[in-house]
Amino acid sequence: VKSVEASIPEPQREAWKKHQVEGFTDKDGFEKEVVRHVETTLARSLFNCDEGAAYSATSLAFRDRLITEWNRTQQRQTTADTKRVYYLSLEFLMGRALDNAMLNVGLKDVARGGIDDLGFRIEDIIEQEHDAALGNGGLGRLAACFLDSLASLNYPAWGYGLRYRYGIFKQEIINGYQVEVPDYWLDFNPWEFPRHDVTVDIQFYGNVRKSQDENGKTVAHWEGGEIVTAVAYDMPIPGYATPSTNNLRLWSSKASSGEFDFQKFNNGDYESSVADQQRAETISAVLYPNDNLDRGKELRLKQQYFWVAASLYDIVRRFKKSKRAWREFPDQVAIQLNDTHPTLAVVELQRILVDIEGLEWDEAWNIVTSTFGYTNHTVLPEALEKWPVGLMQHLLPRHLQIIYDINLFFLQTVEKKFPNDREMLTSVSIIEESQPKMVRMAYLAIVGSHKVNGVAELHSDLIQTTIFKDFVKIFGADKFTNVTNGITPRRWLHQANPRLSELIASKTGGHEFLKDLTQLNKLELSIDDDAFRKEWAEIKYANKVRLTKYIKKTLDVTVNPAALFDVQVKRIHEYKRQQLNIFGVIHRYLALKAMSPEERKKQLPRVSIFGGKAAPGYWMAKQIIHLINNVGAVVNKDPDIGDLLKVIYLEDYNVSKAEMIVPASDLSEHISTAGTEASGTSNMKFVLNGGLIIGTCDGANIEITREIGQENIFLFGTLSEDVEDLRHAHTYGSHTVDSDLNKVFDTIQSGTFGEPNDFGAMVAAVRDHGDFYLVSDDFQSYIDTQKMVDTEYRNQDEWVRKCIRSVARMGFFSSDRCINEYAEGIWNVEPLVVK
Ligand code: 4GP
């Protein structure tokens, strides 16, 4: 950029500078921008500007501001010639952008006034926005929190992903069943910039020809096949209280000619000419709706290569502009693989360096392994990605050859270190010798990266002692590390819970805590302040009232906002054990039914709130949803029960709903079978918003306990070190289910909650088929712990103190801390300080 600028004559530079866009800073300027966008960009007027148009114009006004900062940020980074981080993720679960942009830029109050002047309410405008739901759950939302932290901490960073036309499906609950409806979110998205000038042609299929160059070296040429074009769409990512604005670049696919095949068209074969175009567009059409599950579909592999190849082309192009030697590539570029989905990037970079740039294999491989880091997000075997060798051969013939070579050289080093250990070789080989043979993507990612990390301490220990233990022997323990997940306090406190954020600011000396979350610890000094605790409790109550109204509006069920709100919202999965929760609810219902009316009057009212999507092909998860809804239908209408128990299923759980639900919880459930939930991040969100947790010793629950103190969390259940023995005992010993749980099962099977056959498999999984998720082992301690919750909740003053103490000690779980750890320990990048 320096040289480009210098080459432009002074007067021209002056002309540009004179007209530089500065962006509004006050209400008047904001209104002017909104009106301009309504009247020109949207071609409407005062007379037909509805809330939707007002939302669009407001977003466009902010987008213009961001894009100016975005340009400057890029220019600063290029001029400073610093190392950049590239975060490759197939999922970015961003949620809404407008509220976040207003708050991060610090102009929400300005916008509120302006929108008011123009005749709207800011809350209504915010509600107009459709969530950008390009992710399934934890993994995708983590990527979104990371983008916020990277920008807020001034790191030179880009996110790279796919621009799905359909994000995660919309969930409807019809007659108690989940029904999936497509989520078409791109009608008009004011936050994206189509970059029709930034395109990359991506090759698939074809074959490999080898030739000799003038020095007698063998060169591979990947020829033929099919070309699809990737087009970049950019979304600006504003940092909080900093001008730094980063970029999320999402690739969209289209036919390489851009149009349909004219030859075919002229020959009258209109249909097939259009079909080619549609086939190309299919690549980025839809997000695969699986969480913690791999379903080896060819189109998914195509998506992965398409995205990875386009992103690497872009990264390499940017690097080449610096005119540095290739060996300096890792000094300029760090690439993080968010799970194994982008692992082909390892192979693609090796291909670029060897086949196209002509580097020697070893030199190229050094560059590759110094560039990549790999994050694992799950130990569940069904989620570990593998691709059939035959499919890889067909779709990416050159890449398969390179994978074989990587494997060969890798196994040679293993052989040297562990001579004559055939078992070791088969166990770590990137190619699984199964029928059919498979490429193990996690192994490829480990071999191709310089660091591998898990996402919470227990999880990082587990990967080193179970699924990847042989790799620890081969590479040494230094290659493996832990970075405990975090969440952005901007969205998950300041935006979702503005009143609490203001109260905290008033007690900690301003909004500094939003940039340095450890400052929350100052709250402990105010814990004996009666007025403070009173206001704290009032805020929680107001958040519960808001959710109460939403429940009334959407489900027509009246719940008592003074009841204990017990929440479990996350993807539906057997390992997350929503079934344990609903069995516990049934147990509570039976206990209440068995009481005399006098006894009942003494009980604490509770609302059990569930939400979450099941993967469309995950039958058992859908049965769990069905049971919860059926239980709700019976309990909520039972006159014996009244307010004492309500069971609510919130439809279509997503990021913007989480922003409303999380601040309204008294107790949230994080009750996975020990050793199965890699980290969890909603546990952090709930505690940060002043709710307590009931949970197992799993994932980040363990570190949360360490930080906030075990007197502030309700832990129960089996420990991870005992899980295997219990499973073994279930299968080979005698497995019995205690009488309380049996009563629950009998009630289900008596038809109290609808057709018993619908739930037969769910009951049998626990009673007859080995109870893999240890529901029976943990049931009694779960029930006992819930009783303790009831007792403790009655002492509201002590409960509020526990909540405040917990919030005060949550500083560690900011994604800022987490990103700083990645930057220092894995990426070796520095923030670019903005003056
Ligand atoms: C999730 C894990 O299940 C969750 O525990 C973790 O907090 C999150 O990643 C972020 O690290 N994994 C997935 C997945 O979403 O699909 O593997």
Side-chain angles (χ1 to χ4, degrees), residues 478-615:
D478 277 0
K479 177 161 177 162
F480 296 83
T481 184
N482 171 58
V483 185
T484 299
N485 283 166
I487 55 170
T488 167
R490 272 77 63 180
R491 180 176 295 261
W492 295 112
L493 181 53
H494 193 44
Q495 180 181 323
N497 204 343
R499 273 186 72 190
L500 191 64
S501 179
E502 290 317 305
L503 179 61
I504 292 172
S506 74
K507 292 292 170 190
T508 58
H511 289 99
E512 266 308 291
F513 72 97
L514 291 171
K515 291 199 85 122
D516 169 12
L517 203 61
T518 60
Q519 303 221 11
L520 286 175
N521 62 17
K522 294 182 189 157
L523 285 176
E524 294 212 46
L525 299 173
S526 301
I527 208 152
D528 291 320
D529 175 343
D530 294 346
F532 169 59
R533 283 200 318 284
K534 185 160 172 270
E535 193 175 345
W536 186 283
E538 271 170 25
I539 291 171
K540 177 61 76 182
Y541 188 77
N543 290 332
K544 288 168 73 178
V545 168
R546 180 164 69 142
L547 182 56
T548 301
K549 288 185 181 149
Y550 180 79
I551 291 170
K552 179 73 190 164
K553 190 177 91 189
T554 52
L555 297 169
D556 197 24
V557 178
T558 306
V559 304
N560 174 4
L564 187 158
F565 279 23
D566 168 344
V567 183
Q568 187 175 19
V569 284
K570 47 182 85 221
R571 285 298 286 249
I572 310 298
H573 217 297
E574 283 161 285
Y575 88 80
K576 294 179 188 281
R577 297 202 296 189
Q578 284 90 356
Q579 71 277 38
L580 173 60
N581 186 343
I582 193 64
F583 294 158
V585 168
I586 296 173
H587 173 268
R588 179 178 288 268
Y589 175 62
L590 296 177
L592 287 168
K593 289 290 276 185
M595 286 174 194
S596 67
E598 290 69 45
E599 222 179 322
R600 263 186 221 139
K601 280 199 195 105
K602 295 186 218 139
Q603 302 305 309
L604 187 81
R606 196 185 267 245
V607 185
S608 278
I609 298 167
F610 294 82
K613 296 174 187 179

Side-chain angles (χ1 to χ4, degrees), residues 137-140 142 290-293 339 377-378 383 455 485 575-576 677-681:
L139 175 155
L142 185 75
N290 303 316
D291 183 86
N292 271 287
L293 180 75
D339 217 287
H377 292 270
T378 180
V455 290
N485 283 166
Y575 88 80
K576 294 179 188 281
E677 187 69 275
S679 162
T681 48

Side-chain angles (χ1 to χ4, degrees), residues 345-501:
V346 167
V347 189
E348 175 70 359
L349 183 57
Q350 182 72 3
R351 186 184 75 86
I352 293 172
L353 296 176
V354 172
D355 290 1
I356 301 174
E357 302 294 337
L359 271 66
E360 292 300 328
W361 179 278
D362 287 347
E363 191 191 359
W365 188 242
N366 263 330
I367 293 171
V368 169
T369 51
S370 314
T371 300
F372 287 100
Y374 155 51
T375 306
N376 172 279
H377 292 270
T378 180
V379 294
L380 299 188
E382 64 269 31
L384 294 180
E385 243 189 318
K386 290 175 189 174
W387 291 104
V389 163
L391 173 58
M392 195 73 90
Q393 162 74 39
H394 178 58
L395 191 68
L396 300 166
R398 177 60 184 143
H399 294 76
L400 185 67
Q401 291 177 347
I402 295 173
I403 291 171
Y404 267 107
D405 286 344
I406 293 171
N407 197 34
L408 176 71
F409 297 132
F410 166 60
L411 292 182
Q412 282 171 354
T413 65
V414 177
E415 170 86 65
K416 259 193 217 124
K417 206 163 172 179
F418 301 92
N420 306 318
D421 191 344
R422 282 226 61 82
E423 223 170 276
M424 175 66 107
L425 290 181
T426 9
S427 101
V428 299
S429 173
I430 294 169
I431 307 296
E432 183 181 83
E433 296 296 330
S434 44
Q435 268 310 330
K437 288 188 190 178
M438 304 289 261
V439 183
R440 296 155 155 166
M441 300 307 270
Y443 293 6
L444 180 56
I446 296 173
V447 174
S449 302
H450 67 287
K451 282 277 182 197
V452 176
N453 76 286
V455 290
E457 275 178 22
L458 173 67
H459 169 65
S460 297
D461 284 349
L462 282 175
I463 61 177
Q464 289 176 54
T465 51
T466 62
I467 52 176
F468 300 151
K469 67 173 187 300
D470 289 330
F471 290 90
V472 177
K473 287 189 207 146
I474 294 165
F475 290 111
D478 277 0
K479 177 161 177 162
F480 296 83
T481 184
N482 171 58
V483 185
T484 299
N485 283 166
I487 55 170
T488 167
R490 272 77 63 180
R491 180 176 295 261
W492 295 112
L493 181 53
H494 193 44
Q495 180 181 323
N497 204 343
R499 273 186 72 190
L500 191 64
S501 179

Side-chain angles (χ1 to χ4, degrees), residues 72-103:
R72 287 182 192 154
T73 305
Q74 292 315 310
Q75 183 144 348
R76 264 198 307 278
Q77 291 172 6
T78 309
T79 311
D81 200 19
T82 54
K83 183 171 183 176
R84 288 185 169 100
V85 188
Y86 296 100
Y87 198 78
L88 266 55
S89 181
L90 207 40
E91 304 188 7
F92 286 95
L93 195 44
M94 303 297 287
R96 290 173 174 160
L98 175 59
D99 201 7
N100 184 248
M102 294 192 293
L103 288 166

